[in-house]
Amino acid sequence: MKFSKLAEEMRTVRDYKKEPVEHRVIEEVLEAGKTAIGVAGGRNVSILWIDNGQEVFHQLSGKAGYYGKMIEAPHYLVIASKEFPAFMENSGYIMELMRLKARELGLGTCWLSIENEEALREVLGVEGEEKITAFVAIGHEYKGIFKKDISKQSSRLGIEEIVYLGRWGQPCTLEALEERGLARVLYHVRLAPSWGNKQPWRFIMDRDKILLTVQREERDAMRLDAGIVMLYFEKSAWEEGIPGRWQLDVGEGIEGKYGIPGEQKLVGYYSL
């Protein structure tokens, strides 16, 4: 399935059937993650598929969840990683890639926040130096007639609200993006999920590159969000015939050149 269609169809699922996912489907989801290059070479990453969902759900109530509420699912998907530069961004990229694959295979998923990593490590039996970086509920969506999603609709910023031209704060028109072949790319990028739907990332379009910044907040979720949005940009760009990969080693003094404010962190750039 084309990435653009997957991005448009992607949604958070909070109600799951109790039946387990077929082994063949599990293998396809895991393979998507294990073969991913990621944004840091995909190195030092362990991917765990959790089968005893009901038990994990009860043990983690109040210690992980979706807006503080633990989601019950037949399975959970976990990434544990050694710490290295961009390890959180890398985890966000790889986990979202597996979520997209799951959607393509007819499964539902939901990003879960980690409120107490030590409790999660104990419940899941994660040992060693690896840090649990990403946690997702996964399974077949339950669409029973008595189930009703009462959560509010997620809104999205417009394309022109997330990208600047040449320098931070300089407006970028839709026409300018169309001239560079980036209008459709940024349309799908804005659909990327983020913690609390904050959309903490912004882009600066230069002549030969587009830079990505993210809010400087202490929450690891912001770094995961950066990895997720890099995936969406990359996949959409490839689909539009703009090959390339993210460069995260940006050097010194770049923030000043582009007027990036102190509350924003420059993550990297994508060559155009």
Side-chain angles (χ1 to χ4, degrees):
M1 185 184 297
K2 291 181 64 176
F3 168 76
S4 55
K5 183 173 177 60
L6 272 177
E8 291 167 4
E9 293 182 353
M10 201 66 175
R11 59 187 293 269
T12 293
V13 172
R14 291 181 285 279
D15 294 308
Y16 298 89
K17 296 179 180 178
K18 295 187 181 299
E19 66 186 67
V21 173
E22 302 84 346
H23 181 74
R24 173 191 59 81
V25 177
I26 293 173
E27 289 300 316
E28 288 194 54
V29 172
L30 293 177
E31 186 68 11
K34 291 175 180 177
T35 58
I37 296 175
V39 290
R43 57 197 174 101
N44 300 323
V45 169
S46 299
I47 300 172
L48 312 175
W49 180 277
I50 309 302
D51 280 321
N52 56 331
Q54 188 174 39
E55 181 181 346
V56 169
F57 166 71
H58 290 297
Q59 291 179 314
L60 291 179
S61 180
K63 300 168 184 174
Y66 180 81
Y67 288 97
K69 180 182 179 181
M70 187 58 186
I71 301 296
E72 184 174 6
H75 309 283
Y76 297 95
L77 193 54
V78 178
I79 289 181
S81 173
K82 290 185 177 179
E83 298 187 44
F84 54 88
F87 77 101
M88 290 298 299
E89 291 85 350
N90 192 56
S91 293
Y93 180 107
I94 294 173
M95 181 62 90
E96 186 64 17
L97 187 63
M98 288 191 288
R99 286 188 71 232
L100 288 164
K101 187 62 178 180
R103 176 69 187 185
E104 185 177 25
L105 295 170
L107 299 178
T109 58
C110 176
W111 273 97
L112 302 174
S113 60
I114 301 169
E115 307 297 338
N116 186 328
E117 190 200 348
E118 285 305 313
L120 190 56
R121 293 174 66 87
E122 183 178 347
V123 170
L124 302 180
V126 176
E127 300 178 349
E129 298 178 356
E130 290 184 318
K131 176 182 175 66
I132 295 179
T133 52
F135 187 34
V136 161
I138 185 168
H140 292 288
E141 181 178 4
Y142 176 57
K143 300 179 180 179
I145 60 174
F146 298 111
K147 287 287 184 180
K148 183 179 180 180
D149 186 357
I150 60 174
S151 60
K152 62 182 180 180
Q153 184 82 20
S154 294
S155 59
R156 290 288 190 274
L157 295 172
I159 296 175
E160 295 174 39
E161 295 178 275
I162 64 172
V163 59
Y164 300 117
L165 180 60
R167 187 175 176 82
W168 183 272
Q170 180 68 33
C172 183
T173 64
L174 191 58
E175 289 74 20
L177 290 171
E178 288 174 342
E179 288 176 4
R180 300 295 299 276
L182 290 172
R184 283 179 56 83
V185 175
L186 270 298
Y187 171 80
H188 290 105
V189 163
R190 59 186 281 277
L191 300 178
S194 58
W195 183 85
N197 196 36
K198 289 179 176 289
Q199 294 180 270
W201 19 258
R202 295 294 183 271
F203 298 89
I204 301 174
M205 186 175 71
D206 202 353
R207 288 172 296 180
D208 60 347
K209 64 175 70 73
I210 188 159
L211 295 86
L212 168 66
T213 74
V214 68
Q215 289 178 16
R216 287 186 185 274
E217 291 195 15
E218 293 301 318
R219 293 189 67 94
D220 286 340
M222 295 301 174
R223 296 182 62 189
L224 288 174
D225 291 344
I228 293 169
V229 82
M230 281 191 274
L231 172 68
Y232 274 60
F233 187 97
E234 185 179 276
K235 290 293 186 183
S236 186
W238 290 355
E239 198 167 277
E240 294 299 314
I242 308 174
R245 293 200 65 83
W246 285 97
Q247 174 63 46
L248 304 187
D249 185 11
V250 295
E252 300 291 334
I254 303 298
E255 289 91 344
K257 175 183 177 181
Y258 290 96
I260 298 170
E263 66 270 15
Q264 290 281 323
K265 173 188 175 184
L266 177 59
V267 179
Y269 65 84
Y270 189 97
S271 297
L272 300 174

